[in-house]
Amino acid sequence: VSGRYSYDGLDRILHEKARLGILTCLVAHPEGLLFNDLKDLCNLTDGNLSRHLQALHQHQIVEIFKNQEQKRPQTLCRISAEGREKFLAYLEELNRVLQDAETTAKNLNQIQAVPPGWAPA
């Protein structure tokens, strides 16, 4: 089958390490999280989290809300309905990757010998 292992469902916008952490955190907190709480849970800097949230917001994966509390600006972040659907589809594709890798690893008892005539590069 052509492209059997291409895993087209691994959306690049979601597949980045920090964004994967952000989305997993937001799925676990559907009511949303304040920026600083999200930053701490994902171990990111202000600038790094801002940049990733901006990219996710541009793709309508997260929603961002602003508020003032005691004259201090606050930002609430939460996953959007569309973002949740995309993330769940991404997880299904990632699960397929894991199943393929596990099946292959179990079927390979040992590393096969290189066919005659081939030399190390």
Side-chain angles (χ1 to χ4, degrees):
V1 173
S2 180
R4 168 66 182 91
Y5 297 98
S6 66
Y7 304 111
D8 294 331
L10 294 181
D11 187 337
R12 286 187 179 274
I13 193 72
L14 306 179
H15 199 65
E16 198 281 330
K17 178 185 176 282
R19 293 181 195 149
L20 187 57
I22 291 166
L23 292 172
T24 301
C25 193
L26 292 178
V27 164
H29 297 88
E31 70 284 358
L33 287 167
L34 292 175
F35 182 92
N36 283 333
D37 294 334
L38 184 58
K39 177 181 78 169
D40 291 342
L41 287 167
C42 296
N43 196 31
L44 296 169
T45 64
D46 286 357
N48 209 347
L49 178 56
S50 290
R51 183 174 58 83
H52 289 299
L53 285 173
Q54 182 180 27
L56 292 167
H57 186 256
Q58 287 175 344
H59 285 88
Q60 301 174 335
I61 295 168
V62 298
E63 299 171 319
I64 298 173
F65 302 91
K66 301 285 185 176
N67 191 14
Q68 290 266 90
E69 187 162 313
Q70 298 176 359
K71 297 184 180 185
R72 297 190 69 173
Q74 289 197 318
T75 302
L76 178 73
C77 310
R78 73 176 186 193
I79 194 162
S80 68
E82 181 181 339
R84 184 177 186 79
E85 286 179 30
K86 285 183 179 181
F87 188 65
L88 292 175
Y90 168 86
L91 291 179
E92 286 180 24
E93 186 77 347
L94 191 55
N95 191 45
R96 192 166 71 96
V97 172
L98 295 173
Q99 288 174 346
D100 286 348
E102 183 179 27
T103 299
T104 301
K106 285 181 179 178
N107 290 337
L108 249 167
N109 294 331
Q110 61 186 12
I111 295 176
Q112 303 295 313
V114 177
W118 288 89

